[in-house]
Amino acid sequence: MKTIALIAHDNKKPDMIRWAEENKKELSRFALCGTGTTAKLVAEATGLTIERYLSGPLGGDLEIGAKVAEKQIDIVIFFWDPLQAQPHDPDVKALLRIAALYDVPIATNISTANYILRSDLLR
């Protein structure tokens, strides 16, 4: 079973929750994990089981990056806010870099997340 990590910056959490609710059936086919508050909110909204890591600013992005490097995460859905400065921006960049290095698909918006989730390559 493939594992999908769910991450969303504060201003993007409503988008992530809405997207997860709309895709609950598809997401139920995967093991899910996510950073602290995002995982909690999505799990509450959808009833899906989501393994929780630390909040992004407290190291959650780095935890997910480590799991990508260990080949334990197959896909990252990361709704980041390009208009808001993040105090943990180096961690965000490290996660993006490690996903690229290990050739792990990473969606940074709803359109790309939809393409990945509906890809025949996931079957």
Side-chain angles (χ1 to χ4, degrees):
M1 176 182 291
K2 292 190 183 295
T3 299
I4 298 177
L6 304 174
I7 309 165
H9 285 155
D10 289 344
N11 291 340
K12 297 294 183 174
K13 286 184 190 342
D15 293 339
M16 176 64 79
I17 293 165
R18 187 172 42 258
W19 180 81
E21 288 175 325
E22 291 170 359
N23 293 286
K24 178 181 174 180
K25 182 178 178 183
E26 291 88 353
L27 289 171
S28 70
R29 298 181 9 240
F30 300 92
L32 302 173
C33 64
T35 51
T37 307
T38 301
K40 178 180 180 275
L41 293 172
V42 171
E44 288 173 352
T46 63
L48 295 168
T49 300
I50 305 175
E51 181 179 0
R52 285 177 65 185
Y53 293 104
L54 295 172
S55 171
L58 299 177
D61 298 330
L62 293 175
E63 285 183 300
I64 288 178
K67 295 296 182 185
V68 167
E70 294 168 355
K71 300 184 186 297
Q72 294 180 22
I73 291 177
D74 304 290
I75 300 161
V76 178
I77 308 295
F78 185 0
F79 294 172
W80 66 285
D81 186 349
L83 301 177
Q84 183 74 32
Q86 301 295 325
H88 61 294
D89 194 54
D91 298 348
V92 171
K93 287 182 178 161
L95 175 57
L96 296 172
R97 186 172 47 253
I98 205 78
L101 179 66
Y102 284 90
D103 199 27
V104 169
I106 184 163
T108 58
N109 58 43
I110 292 171
S111 296
T112 309
N114 286 336
Y115 275 100
I116 290 171
L117 196 60
R118 287 165 181 74
S119 171
D120 288 336
L121 298 174
L122 290 180
R123 312 289 181 248

Short mmCIF file of all heavy atoms in Angstrom, two decimals, residues 37-105:
data_model
loop_
_atom_site.label_atom_id
_atom_site.label_comp_id
_atom_site.label_asym_id
_atom_site.label_seq_id
_atom_site.Cartn_x
_atom_site.Cartn_y
_atom_site.Cartn_z
N THR A 37 -1.39 19.65 12.89
CA THR A 37 -2.74 20.20 12.81
C THR A 37 -3.45 19.77 11.53
O THR A 37 -4.64 19.45 11.56
CB THR A 37 -2.70 21.74 12.90
OG1 THR A 37 -1.97 22.11 14.07
CG2 THR A 37 -4.09 22.32 12.98
N THR A 38 -2.74 19.73 10.42
CA THR A 38 -3.36 19.31 9.16
C THR A 38 -3.90 17.90 9.29
O THR A 38 -5.06 17.63 8.93
CB THR A 38 -2.35 19.39 8.00
OG1 THR A 38 -1.89 20.73 7.87
CG2 THR A 38 -2.97 18.93 6.69
N ALA A 39 -3.11 16.98 9.80
CA ALA A 39 -3.56 15.59 9.96
C ALA A 39 -4.76 15.51 10.89
O ALA A 39 -5.73 14.80 10.60
CB ALA A 39 -2.41 14.73 10.49
N LYS A 40 -4.73 16.26 11.97
CA LYS A 40 -5.84 16.25 12.93
C LYS A 40 -7.12 16.76 12.28
O LYS A 40 -8.18 16.13 12.40
CB LYS A 40 -5.47 17.12 14.13
CG LYS A 40 -6.55 17.24 15.18
CD LYS A 40 -6.06 18.13 16.34
CE LYS A 40 -7.09 18.28 17.41
NZ LYS A 40 -8.05 19.35 17.13
N LEU A 41 -7.04 17.90 11.60
CA LEU A 41 -8.23 18.49 10.99
C LEU A 41 -8.81 17.62 9.88
O LEU A 41 -10.02 17.46 9.78
CB LEU A 41 -7.90 19.89 10.45
CG LEU A 41 -7.58 20.95 11.52
CD1 LEU A 41 -7.09 22.23 10.85
CD2 LEU A 41 -8.78 21.21 12.41
N VAL A 42 -7.94 17.06 9.05
CA VAL A 42 -8.42 16.20 7.96
C VAL A 42 -9.04 14.92 8.52
O VAL A 42 -10.09 14.48 8.06
CB VAL A 42 -7.29 15.89 6.96
CG1 VAL A 42 -7.73 14.83 5.95
CG2 VAL A 42 -6.85 17.16 6.23
N ALA A 43 -8.42 14.33 9.53
CA ALA A 43 -8.97 13.13 10.15
C ALA A 43 -10.34 13.41 10.76
O ALA A 43 -11.28 12.62 10.59
CB ALA A 43 -8.01 12.59 11.20
N GLU A 44 -10.48 14.54 11.44
CA GLU A 44 -11.77 14.90 12.05
C GLU A 44 -12.84 15.12 10.98
O GLU A 44 -13.99 14.71 11.15
CB GLU A 44 -11.63 16.15 12.90
CG GLU A 44 -10.87 15.94 14.18
CD GLU A 44 -10.58 17.22 14.95
OE1 GLU A 44 -10.85 18.33 14.43
OE2 GLU A 44 -10.08 17.11 16.09
N ALA A 45 -12.47 15.75 9.87
CA ALA A 45 -13.43 16.08 8.82
C ALA A 45 -13.84 14.87 7.99
O ALA A 45 -14.97 14.81 7.51
CB ALA A 45 -12.87 17.17 7.91
N THR A 46 -12.93 13.91 7.84
CA THR A 46 -13.19 12.79 6.92
C THR A 46 -13.40 11.45 7.61
O THR A 46 -13.94 10.53 7.00
CB THR A 46 -12.01 12.62 5.96
OG1 THR A 46 -10.84 12.28 6.71
CG2 THR A 46 -11.77 13.86 5.12
N GLY A 47 -12.92 11.32 8.85
CA GLY A 47 -12.97 10.03 9.52
C GLY A 47 -11.86 9.09 9.08
O GLY A 47 -11.80 7.95 9.54
N LEU A 48 -10.96 9.56 8.22
CA LEU A 48 -9.84 8.74 7.77
C LEU A 48 -8.78 8.63 8.87
O LEU A 48 -8.61 9.56 9.68
CB LEU A 48 -9.20 9.35 6.52
CG LEU A 48 -10.08 9.38 5.27
CD1 LEU A 48 -9.44 10.26 4.20
CD2 LEU A 48 -10.30 7.97 4.75
N THR A 49 -8.08 7.52 8.90
CA THR A 49 -6.98 7.34 9.85
C THR A 49 -5.73 7.97 9.25
O THR A 49 -5.34 7.64 8.13
CB THR A 49 -6.74 5.84 10.11
OG1 THR A 49 -7.94 5.27 10.65
CG2 THR A 49 -5.58 5.64 11.07
N ILE A 50 -5.13 8.89 10.00
CA ILE A 50 -3.95 9.61 9.51
C ILE A 50 -2.90 9.62 10.61
O ILE A 50 -3.15 10.11 11.72
CB ILE A 50 -4.29 11.05 9.11
CG1 ILE A 50 -5.43 11.05 8.08
CG2 ILE A 50 -3.05 11.76 8.57
CD1 ILE A 50 -5.92 12.43 7.69
N GLU A 51 -1.73 9.08 10.32
CA GLU A 51 -0.63 9.11 11.28
C GLU A 51 -0.14 10.55 11.40
O GLU A 51 0.13 11.20 10.39
CB GLU A 51 0.51 8.21 10.81
CG GLU A 51 1.68 8.18 11.76
CD GLU A 51 2.80 7.25 11.30
OE1 GLU A 51 2.67 6.63 10.23
OE2 GLU A 51 3.81 7.19 12.02
N ARG A 52 -0.03 11.03 12.63
CA ARG A 52 0.34 12.43 12.86
C ARG A 52 1.81 12.56 13.23
O ARG A 52 2.32 11.86 14.09
CB ARG A 52 -0.49 13.03 13.98
CG ARG A 52 -1.91 13.33 13.56
CD ARG A 52 -2.74 13.85 14.71
NE ARG A 52 -2.24 15.15 15.16
CZ ARG A 52 -2.72 15.79 16.21
NH1 ARG A 52 -3.68 15.26 16.93
NH2 ARG A 52 -2.23 16.96 16.55
N TYR A 53 2.45 13.50 12.55
CA TYR A 53 3.81 13.91 12.90
C TYR A 53 3.72 15.26 13.60
O TYR A 53 2.63 15.78 13.83
CB TYR A 53 4.68 13.99 11.65
CG TYR A 53 4.94 12.63 11.02
CD1 TYR A 53 4.28 12.23 9.88
CD2 TYR A 53 5.82 11.74 11.61
CE1 TYR A 53 4.51 10.98 9.32
CE2 TYR A 53 6.05 10.48 11.06
CZ TYR A 53 5.39 10.12 9.91
OH TYR A 53 5.60 8.88 9.37
N LEU A 54 4.85 15.83 13.93
CA LEU A 54 4.87 17.14 14.57
C LEU A 54 4.29 18.19 13.64
O LEU A 54 4.23 18.01 12.43
CB LEU A 54 6.31 17.53 14.93
CG LEU A 54 7.02 16.67 15.97
CD1 LEU A 54 8.49 17.05 16.05
CD2 LEU A 54 6.35 16.82 17.32
N SER A 55 3.91 19.30 14.21
CA SER A 55 3.52 20.46 13.42
C SER A 55 4.70 20.89 12.55
O SER A 55 5.86 20.70 12.95
CB SER A 55 3.12 21.59 14.38
OG SER A 55 2.92 22.79 13.68
N GLY A 56 4.43 21.44 11.37
CA GLY A 56 5.50 21.86 10.46
C GLY A 56 6.57 22.72 11.12
O GLY A 56 7.76 22.39 11.03
N PRO A 57 6.19 23.81 11.80
CA PRO A 57 7.21 24.67 12.41
C PRO A 57 8.01 23.99 13.53
O PRO A 57 9.09 24.44 13.89
CB PRO A 57 6.40 25.83 12.99
CG PRO A 57 5.13 25.85 12.20
CD PRO A 57 4.87 24.41 11.85
N LEU A 58 7.48 22.89 14.05
CA LEU A 58 8.16 22.17 15.13
C LEU A 58 8.96 20.97 14.63
O LEU A 58 9.45 20.17 15.42
CB LEU A 58 7.16 21.72 16.20
CG LEU A 58 6.40 22.85 16.89
CD1 LEU A 58 5.39 22.30 17.87
CD2 LEU A 58 7.36 23.80 17.58
N GLY A 59 9.05 20.83 13.30
CA GLY A 59 9.87 19.76 12.74
C GLY A 59 9.12 18.73 11.91
O GLY A 59 9.72 17.80 11.39
N GLY A 60 7.81 18.89 11.77
CA GLY A 60 7.02 17.91 11.03
C GLY A 60 7.41 17.79 9.56
O GLY A 60 7.42 16.69 9.01
N ASP A 61 7.75 18.93 8.93
CA ASP A 61 8.19 18.87 7.53
C ASP A 61 9.46 18.04 7.41
O ASP A 61 9.62 17.27 6.46
CB ASP A 61 8.44 20.28 6.97
CG ASP A 61 7.20 21.15 6.97
OD1 ASP A 61 6.09 20.60 6.84
OD2 ASP A 61 7.33 22.38 7.08
N LEU A 62 10.34 18.19 8.37
CA LEU A 62 11.60 17.43 8.36
C LEU A 62 11.35 15.95 8.64
O LEU A 62 12.01 15.09 8.05
CB LEU A 62 12.57 18.00 9.38
CG LEU A 62 13.10 19.41 9.07
CD1 LEU A 62 13.95 19.93 10.21
CD2 LEU A 62 13.86 19.42 7.76
N GLU A 63 10.40 15.66 9.52
CA GLU A 63 10.05 14.25 9.77
C GLU A 63 9.54 13.59 8.50
O GLU A 63 9.93 12.46 8.17
CB GLU A 63 8.96 14.15 10.85
CG GLU A 63 9.43 14.38 12.25
CD GLU A 63 8.29 14.19 13.24
OE1 GLU A 63 7.29 14.91 13.15
OE2 GLU A 63 8.41 13.30 14.09
N ILE A 64 8.67 14.29 7.78
CA ILE A 64 8.15 13.73 6.53
C ILE A 64 9.27 13.59 5.51
O ILE A 64 9.35 12.58 4.81
CB ILE A 64 6.96 14.56 6.03
CG1 ILE A 64 5.77 14.30 6.97
CG2 ILE A 64 6.62 14.23 4.58
CD1 ILE A 64 4.52 15.05 6.68
N GLY A 65 10.15 14.58 5.44
CA GLY A 65 11.30 14.48 4.54
C GLY A 65 12.15 13.26 4.83
O GLY A 65 12.61 12.56 3.93
N ALA A 66 12.35 12.97 6.11
CA ALA A 66 13.13 11.79 6.49
C ALA A 66 12.44 10.51 6.04
O ALA A 66 13.08 9.58 5.55
CB ALA A 66 13.34 11.77 8.01
N LYS A 67 11.11 10.46 6.17
CA LYS A 67 10.36 9.28 5.73
C LYS A 67 10.41 9.13 4.21
O LYS A 67 10.44 8.01 3.69
CB LYS A 67 8.91 9.34 6.21
CG LYS A 67 8.76 9.29 7.71
CD LYS A 67 9.24 7.97 8.26
CE LYS A 67 9.06 7.91 9.76
NZ LYS A 67 9.62 6.70 10.34
N VAL A 68 10.45 10.25 3.48
CA VAL A 68 10.62 10.19 2.03
C VAL A 68 11.98 9.57 1.71
O VAL A 68 12.09 8.66 0.88
CB VAL A 68 10.50 11.60 1.39
CG1 VAL A 68 10.98 11.60 -0.06
CG2 VAL A 68 9.05 12.10 1.47
N ALA A 69 13.02 10.03 2.40
CA ALA A 69 14.38 9.50 2.18
C ALA A 69 14.47 8.02 2.54
O ALA A 69 15.24 7.28 1.92
CB ALA A 69 15.39 10.31 2.98
N GLU A 70 13.69 7.59 3.51
CA GLU A 70 13.67 6.18 3.91
C GLU A 70 12.73 5.35 3.03
O GLU A 70 12.52 4.17 3.29
CB GLU A 70 13.23 6.07 5.37
CG GLU A 70 14.22 6.67 6.34
CD GLU A 70 13.67 6.82 7.76
OE1 GLU A 70 12.47 6.52 7.99
OE2 GLU A 70 14.44 7.24 8.63
N LYS A 71 12.15 5.98 2.01
CA LYS A 71 11.23 5.33 1.07
C LYS A 71 9.97 4.79 1.76
O LYS A 71 9.40 3.78 1.35
CB LYS A 71 11.94 4.25 0.27
CG LYS A 71 13.10 4.80 -0.54
CD LYS A 71 13.74 3.74 -1.38
CE LYS A 71 14.94 4.18 -2.05
NZ LYS A 71 15.45 4.91 -2.84
N GLN A 72 9.53 5.51 2.79
CA GLN A 72 8.31 5.13 3.51
C GLN A 72 7.13 6.01 3.12
O GLN A 72 6.00 5.74 3.54
CB GLN A 72 8.55 5.19 5.01
CG GLN A 72 9.54 4.15 5.49
CD GLN A 72 9.77 4.20 6.97
OE1 GLN A 72 8.95 4.71 7.73
NE2 GLN A 72 10.90 3.68 7.40
N ILE A 73 7.38 7.08 2.36
CA ILE A 73 6.32 7.95 1.85
C ILE A 73 6.48 8.00 0.34
O ILE A 73 7.56 8.25 -0.17
CB ILE A 73 6.38 9.36 2.48
CG1 ILE A 73 6.00 9.27 3.96
CG2 ILE A 73 5.46 10.33 1.73
CD1 ILE A 73 6.08 10.59 4.70
N ASP A 74 5.37 7.76 -0.36
CA ASP A 74 5.39 7.64 -1.82
C ASP A 74 4.91 8.89 -2.54
O ASP A 74 5.26 9.11 -3.70
CB ASP A 74 4.51 6.46 -2.25
CG ASP A 74 4.94 5.17 -1.57
OD1 ASP A 74 6.03 4.67 -1.91
OD2 ASP A 74 4.21 4.69 -0.69
N ILE A 75 4.08 9.69 -1.89
CA ILE A 75 3.47 10.87 -2.50
C ILE A 75 3.35 11.94 -1.41
O ILE A 75 3.00 11.61 -0.26
CB ILE A 75 2.07 10.55 -3.05
CG1 ILE A 75 2.15 9.47 -4.12
CG2 ILE A 75 1.38 11.81 -3.59
CD1 ILE A 75 0.83 8.78 -4.37
N VAL A 76 3.59 13.18 -1.77
CA VAL A 76 3.40 14.29 -0.83
C VAL A 76 2.40 15.26 -1.44
O VAL A 76 2.56 15.71 -2.57
CB VAL A 76 4.73 15.02 -0.53
CG1 VAL A 76 4.50 16.20 0.41
CG2 VAL A 76 5.76 14.06 0.05
N ILE A 77 1.35 15.56 -0.68
CA ILE A 77 0.38 16.59 -1.05
C ILE A 77 0.63 17.74 -0.07
O ILE A 77 0.36 17.61 1.12
CB ILE A 77 -1.08 16.09 -0.94
CG1 ILE A 77 -1.28 14.78 -1.71
CG2 ILE A 77 -2.04 17.19 -1.39
CD1 ILE A 77 -1.12 14.86 -3.20
N PHE A 78 1.18 18.84 -0.58
CA PHE A 78 1.62 19.93 0.28
C PHE A 78 1.05 21.24 -0.25
O PHE A 78 1.58 21.85 -1.17
CB PHE A 78 3.15 19.98 0.29
CG PHE A 78 3.76 20.98 1.23
CD1 PHE A 78 2.99 21.81 2.03
CD2 PHE A 78 5.13 21.10 1.30
CE1 PHE A 78 3.57 22.73 2.90
CE2 PHE A 78 5.73 22.01 2.17
CZ PHE A 78 4.95 22.82 2.96
N PHE A 79 -0.07 21.65 0.32
CA PHE A 79 -0.68 22.92 -0.06
C PHE A 79 0.01 24.03 0.71
O PHE A 79 -0.31 24.29 1.86
CB PHE A 79 -2.18 22.91 0.23
CG PHE A 79 -2.98 21.95 -0.61
CD1 PHE A 79 -4.32 21.73 -0.33
CD2 PHE A 79 -2.42 21.26 -1.67
CE1 PHE A 79 -5.07 20.85 -1.09
CE2 PHE A 79 -3.17 20.37 -2.44
CZ PHE A 79 -4.50 20.18 -2.14
N TRP A 80 1.01 24.64 0.07
CA TRP A 80 1.77 25.70 0.73
C TRP A 80 1.23 27.05 0.28
O TRP A 80 0.61 27.19 -0.77
CB TRP A 80 3.26 25.56 0.48
CG TRP A 80 3.71 25.74 -0.93
CD1 TRP A 80 3.57 24.86 -1.97
CD2 TRP A 80 4.38 26.87 -1.48
NE1 TRP A 80 4.11 25.38 -3.11
CE2 TRP A 80 4.61 26.62 -2.85
CE3 TRP A 80 4.80 28.09 -0.94
CZ2 TRP A 80 5.25 27.53 -3.67
CZ3 TRP A 80 5.44 28.99 -1.77
CH2 TRP A 80 5.66 28.71 -3.11
N ASP A 81 1.48 28.03 1.10
CA ASP A 81 0.98 29.38 0.85
C ASP A 81 2.11 30.22 0.27
O ASP A 81 3.01 30.64 1.00
CB ASP A 81 0.46 29.99 2.15
CG ASP A 81 -0.21 31.33 1.95
OD1 ASP A 81 -0.11 31.90 0.84
OD2 ASP A 81 -0.84 31.81 2.90
N PRO A 82 2.08 30.49 -1.05
CA PRO A 82 3.17 31.24 -1.67
C PRO A 82 3.16 32.72 -1.31
O PRO A 82 4.13 33.43 -1.60
CB PRO A 82 2.93 31.03 -3.17
CG PRO A 82 1.46 30.81 -3.28
CD PRO A 82 1.07 30.08 -2.02
N LEU A 83 2.10 33.21 -0.69
CA LEU A 83 2.00 34.63 -0.37
C LEU A 83 2.31 34.95 1.09
O LEU A 83 2.31 36.11 1.48
CB LEU A 83 0.58 35.15 -0.71
CG LEU A 83 0.18 34.99 -2.18
CD1 LEU A 83 -1.25 35.46 -2.37
CD2 LEU A 83 1.14 35.73 -3.09
N GLN A 84 2.58 33.94 1.88
CA GLN A 84 2.83 34.13 3.31
C GLN A 84 4.22 33.62 3.67
O GLN A 84 4.55 32.47 3.40
CB GLN A 84 1.77 33.35 4.11
CG GLN A 84 1.86 33.50 5.60
CD GLN A 84 1.36 34.84 6.07
OE1 GLN A 84 0.47 35.42 5.47
NE2 GLN A 84 1.94 35.35 7.12
N ALA A 85 5.03 34.48 4.26
CA ALA A 85 6.35 34.06 4.73
C ALA A 85 6.18 33.05 5.86
O ALA A 85 5.30 33.20 6.71
CB ALA A 85 7.15 35.26 5.22
N GLN A 86 7.01 32.02 5.86
CA GLN A 86 6.94 30.96 6.87
C GLN A 86 8.20 30.98 7.72
O GLN A 86 9.31 31.04 7.18
CB GLN A 86 6.79 29.60 6.20
CG GLN A 86 5.57 29.45 5.32
CD GLN A 86 4.26 29.54 6.08
OE1 GLN A 86 4.16 29.10 7.22
NE2 GLN A 86 3.27 30.15 5.46
N PRO A 87 8.06 30.91 9.04
CA PRO A 87 9.25 30.92 9.89
C PRO A 87 10.12 29.67 9.68
O PRO A 87 11.31 29.70 9.95
CB PRO A 87 8.68 30.95 11.31
CG PRO A 87 7.28 30.45 11.18
CD PRO A 87 6.82 30.82 9.80
N HIS A 88 9.51 28.60 9.17
CA HIS A 88 10.26 27.36 8.95
C HIS A 88 10.52 27.14 7.46
O HIS A 88 10.61 26.00 6.99
CB HIS A 88 9.50 26.18 9.57
CG HIS A 88 8.14 25.94 9.00
ND1 HIS A 88 7.10 26.84 9.16
CD2 HIS A 88 7.64 24.93 8.27
CE1 HIS A 88 6.04 26.36 8.53
NE2 HIS A 88 6.33 25.22 7.98
N ASP A 89 10.68 28.22 6.71
CA ASP A 89 10.89 28.13 5.26
C ASP A 89 12.06 27.23 4.87
O ASP A 89 11.96 26.49 3.90
CB ASP A 89 11.07 29.53 4.66
CG ASP A 89 10.96 29.51 3.16
OD1 ASP A 89 9.94 29.01 2.65
OD2 ASP A 89 11.89 30.02 2.50
N PRO A 90 13.18 27.22 5.61
CA PRO A 90 14.26 26.28 5.24
C PRO A 90 13.81 24.82 5.32
O PRO A 90 14.23 24.01 4.50
CB PRO A 90 15.35 26.57 6.28
CG PRO A 90 15.11 27.99 6.68
CD PRO A 90 13.61 28.15 6.67
N ASP A 91 12.93 24.50 6.25
CA ASP A 91 12.41 23.13 6.36
C ASP A 91 11.52 22.80 5.16
O ASP A 91 11.56 21.68 4.63
CB ASP A 91 11.60 22.94 7.64
CG ASP A 91 12.42 23.15 8.90
OD1 ASP A 91 13.66 23.22 8.80
OD2 ASP A 91 11.81 23.24 9.98
N VAL A 92 10.72 23.77 4.74
CA VAL A 92 9.86 23.59 3.57
C VAL A 92 10.71 23.32 2.34
O VAL A 92 10.46 22.39 1.57
CB VAL A 92 8.95 24.82 3.37
CG1 VAL A 92 8.21 24.74 2.05
CG2 VAL A 92 7.98 24.97 4.54
N LYS A 93 11.74 24.12 2.15
CA LYS A 93 12.63 23.94 1.00
C LYS A 93 13.36 22.60 1.08
O LYS A 93 13.57 21.95 0.05
CB LYS A 93 13.62 25.10 0.91
CG LYS A 93 12.95 26.36 0.45
CD LYS A 93 13.91 27.51 0.30
CE LYS A 93 13.14 28.72 -0.21
NZ LYS A 93 13.81 29.96 0.02
N ALA A 94 13.73 22.19 2.26
CA ALA A 94 14.40 20.89 2.42
C ALA A 94 13.45 19.75 2.02
O ALA A 94 13.87 18.80 1.35
CB ALA A 94 14.87 20.70 3.86
N LEU A 95 12.18 19.85 2.38
CA LEU A 95 11.21 18.82 2.01
C LEU A 95 11.03 18.79 0.49
O LEU A 95 11.03 17.71 -0.12
CB LEU A 95 9.87 19.06 2.70
CG LEU A 95 8.73 18.14 2.30
CD1 LEU A 95 9.09 16.67 2.51
CD2 LEU A 95 7.47 18.50 3.04
N LEU A 96 10.90 19.95 -0.13
CA LEU A 96 10.76 20.00 -1.58
C LEU A 96 11.99 19.41 -2.26
O LEU A 96 11.87 18.66 -3.24
CB LEU A 96 10.53 21.44 -2.04
CG LEU A 96 9.23 22.10 -1.56
CD1 LEU A 96 9.22 23.58 -1.93
CD2 LEU A 96 8.02 21.39 -2.13
N ARG A 97 13.16 19.73 -1.73
CA ARG A 97 14.42 19.23 -2.30
C ARG A 97 14.51 17.70 -2.17
O ARG A 97 14.87 17.00 -3.12
CB ARG A 97 15.61 19.90 -1.63
CG ARG A 97 16.95 19.56 -2.24
CD ARG A 97 18.11 20.39 -1.67
NE ARG A 97 18.12 20.49 -0.24
CZ ARG A 97 17.79 21.60 0.45
NH1 ARG A 97 17.41 22.68 -0.16
NH2 ARG A 97 17.84 21.60 1.76
N ILE A 98 14.17 17.16 -1.02
CA ILE A 98 14.30 15.72 -0.80
C ILE A 98 13.28 14.96 -1.65
O ILE A 98 13.57 13.88 -2.16
CB ILE A 98 14.19 15.36 0.71
CG1 ILE A 98 14.92 14.03 0.99
CG2 ILE A 98 12.79 15.27 1.21
CD1 ILE A 98 16.39 14.16 1.08
N ALA A 99 12.08 15.54 -1.83
CA ALA A 99 11.09 14.88 -2.70
C ALA A 99 11.60 14.84 -4.14
O ALA A 99 11.46 13.81 -4.82
CB ALA A 99 9.75 15.61 -2.62
N ALA A 100 12.22 15.92 -4.60
CA ALA A 100 12.79 15.94 -5.95
C ALA A 100 13.94 14.95 -6.06
O ALA A 100 14.04 14.20 -7.04
CB ALA A 100 13.25 17.34 -6.32
N LEU A 101 14.81 14.91 -5.06
CA LEU A 101 15.96 14.02 -5.06
C LEU A 101 15.54 12.56 -5.16
O LEU A 101 16.14 11.77 -5.90
CB LEU A 101 16.81 14.26 -3.81
CG LEU A 101 18.04 13.38 -3.64
CD1 LEU A 101 19.06 13.69 -4.73
CD2 LEU A 101 18.65 13.58 -2.27
N TYR A 102 14.50 12.18 -4.42
CA TYR A 102 14.05 10.78 -4.39
C TYR A 102 12.92 10.51 -5.39
O TYR A 102 12.31 9.44 -5.35
CB TYR A 102 13.64 10.38 -2.97
CG TYR A 102 14.84 10.16 -2.10
CD1 TYR A 102 15.41 11.20 -1.36
CD2 TYR A 102 15.46 8.91 -2.05
CE1 TYR A 102 16.54 11.01 -0.59
CE2 TYR A 102 16.59 8.70 -1.28
CZ TYR A 102 17.13 9.76 -0.55
OH TYR A 102 18.25 9.57 0.20
N ASP A 103 12.66 11.46 -6.29
CA ASP A 103 11.68 11.29 -7.36
C ASP A 103 10.30 10.93 -6.81
O ASP A 103 9.60 10.05 -7.34
CB ASP A 103 12.16 10.23 -8.35
CG ASP A 103 11.44 10.33 -9.69
OD1 ASP A 103 10.98 11.43 -10.05
OD2 ASP A 103 11.33 9.29 -10.37
N VAL A 104 9.90 11.61 -5.74
CA VAL A 104 8.59 11.41 -5.13
C VAL A 104 7.65 12.50 -5.64
O VAL A 104 7.98 13.69 -5.54
CB VAL A 104 8.70 11.45 -3.59
CG1 VAL A 104 7.33 11.51 -2.94
CG2 VAL A 104 9.47 10.23 -3.09
N PRO A 105 6.50 12.13 -6.20
CA PRO A 105 5.56 13.15 -6.65
C PRO A 105 5.15 14.05 -5.50
O PRO A 105 4.84 13.56 -4.41
CB PRO A 105 4.36 12.35 -7.17
CG PRO A 105 4.85 10.96 -7.35
CD PRO A 105 5.99 10.78 -6.40
#
